[in-house]
Amino acid sequence: MYRINHLKDPNYLLVEHSANKLRAKIHLSEGGSLQELQLKGHPVIKDLAPLSYKDTYASSILFPFANRVKDGVYNYGGKTFHLEVNQMEENNALHGLVYNKTFKVVHSEATTDYASVTLEYRHTLPSEGFPHTFSIQLNYIFKLDQMDLIVNVRNTSAEAFPFTLGWHPYFMSAHLFESSVCFDSTKKIVLGDRNITTGVSETNTEAPLEIKDLQLDDCWILNSDEVVFNTPNYKLQFNASGSNNFLQLYTPPKENAIAIEPTTGVSDSFNNKIGLRELQPNTLFSIQWQLRIFDNN
């Protein structure tokens, strides 16, 4: 039987199934982010200490923009808007507006077959840089060998707004040097000064991409929704719903960890329009990301 416990200090949910060797921690006050995940006994997501959440954005939901907005400035509907610059060293707005918000539990269910929790944050105070309101729900579903994350965003304001959406999880490997990422791509995002997109180039990225000692902070345009992370102990298969899928890979200053980030846009999408979408008033946008684990031994 799955169990769901809400611990108040710190404010997080603990999901467990001892027989299935599943354990998950969701931090409600850190954007509803998944800070720990064990599937079939494999530590897939772990605390990145001594690195802090405010520096890593670990497992955060990136909305209404994934990645960066140059100088925090963009134009939309004939007007210029100024987002808060929260990445001082590059002078960019980074990773959206919900990564540090507190989410509330609106539904939870634990059965013999699965556990499901739905979290919600309502953005009711428009800001100068993003003068719109919205609600965002995160539905985490845990099963024996997989986890699904369904994100639903509703525009609750009177006007349309631009957006991209992403997820920023870091995954662990027993030995990252001997791990690889397999995906289908023939185009790569070209990043210039301050990690801002300057164009798109053809790529001959080998499949699988052997990580070895690569220092990655790179983005690819995907031809398929499937990405596979191979480690010495397990294989993790990612799938995403919808189209216009992008993949960001980043190796942090933490041994045997790698960020594998599915997004619907790229760095500075609010200006270059790559992957940029519009959400009309009282309209819902939904995306689903699925992780499925397989033993490698």
Side-chain angles (χ1 to χ4, degrees), residues 4-74:
I4 303 172
N5 292 310
H6 187 176
L7 291 87
K8 303 296 185 180
D9 187 21
N11 187 18
Y12 70 89
L13 295 177
L14 181 61
V15 182
E16 293 179 299
H17 192 302
S18 55
N20 290 349
K21 299 181 180 179
L22 181 143
R23 176 183 170 92
K25 288 175 68 173
I26 303 170
H27 284 231
L28 301 178
S29 299
E30 294 181 339
S33 58
L34 182 67
Q35 291 299 309
E36 181 180 325
L37 178 63
Q38 177 179 290
L39 289 173
K40 297 181 71 175
H42 297 289
V44 176
I45 295 174
K46 293 173 61 176
D47 190 322
L48 295 178
L51 304 179
S52 67
Y53 176 76
K54 69 179 180 63
D55 294 323
T56 63
Y57 300 86
S59 289
S60 59
I61 302 299
L62 315 177
F63 181 84
F65 56 93
N67 215 298
R68 294 155 174 80
V69 176
K70 184 180 180 181
D71 299 320
V73 178
Y74 68 98

Side-chain angles (χ1 to χ4, degrees), residues 107-233:
H107 179 75
S108 65
E109 182 179 10
T111 73
T112 56
D113 298 319
Y114 67 89
S116 173
V117 295
T118 302
L119 317 177
E120 183 177 61
Y121 165 71
R122 296 187 178 185
H123 191 77
T124 57
L125 297 176
S127 62
E128 179 182 352
F130 195 77
H132 311 282
T133 61
F134 60 86
S135 66
I136 180 168
Q137 286 194 345
L138 313 178
N139 180 205
Y140 290 95
I141 304 169
F142 302 93
K143 297 181 181 178
L144 170 65
D145 59 356
Q146 73 180 60
M147 189 215 76
D148 292 74
L149 172 54
I150 303 168
V151 183
N152 292 306
V153 180
R154 183 175 296 277
N155 181 352
T156 59
S157 55
E159 297 179 346
F161 60 67
F163 76 97
T164 62
L165 180 62
W167 183 33
H168 201 312
Y170 291 79
F171 297 96
M172 307 304 298
S173 170
H175 195 183
L176 193 63
F177 189 92
E178 297 176 358
S179 303
S180 64
V181 183
C182 189
F183 54 94
D184 181 8
S185 176
T186 52
K187 292 183 179 180
K188 190 175 182 180
I189 299 300
V190 180
L191 298 175
D193 186 38
R194 296 155 51 195
N195 286 309
I196 295 299
T197 299
T198 59
V200 177
S201 68
E202 299 293 326
T203 180
N204 57 353
T205 302
E206 293 185 6
L209 177 65
E210 303 288 345
I211 298 172
K212 298 189 182 296
D213 55 0
L214 292 177
Q215 297 299 307
L216 296 167
D217 197 354
D218 299 79
C219 182
W220 289 264
I221 301 174
L222 295 178
N223 297 326
S224 164
D225 74 304
E226 184 171 292
V227 176
V228 177
F229 179 41
N230 274 297
T231 80
N233 294 335

Side-chain angles (χ1 to χ4, degrees), residues 68-88:
R68 294 155 174 80
V69 176
K70 184 180 180 181
D71 299 320
V73 178
Y74 68 98
N75 291 283
Y76 178 71
K79 298 179 181 178
T80 300
F81 298 95
H82 296 263
L83 295 158
E84 178 186 356
V85 171
N86 61 331
Q87 189 190 33
M88 305 307 294

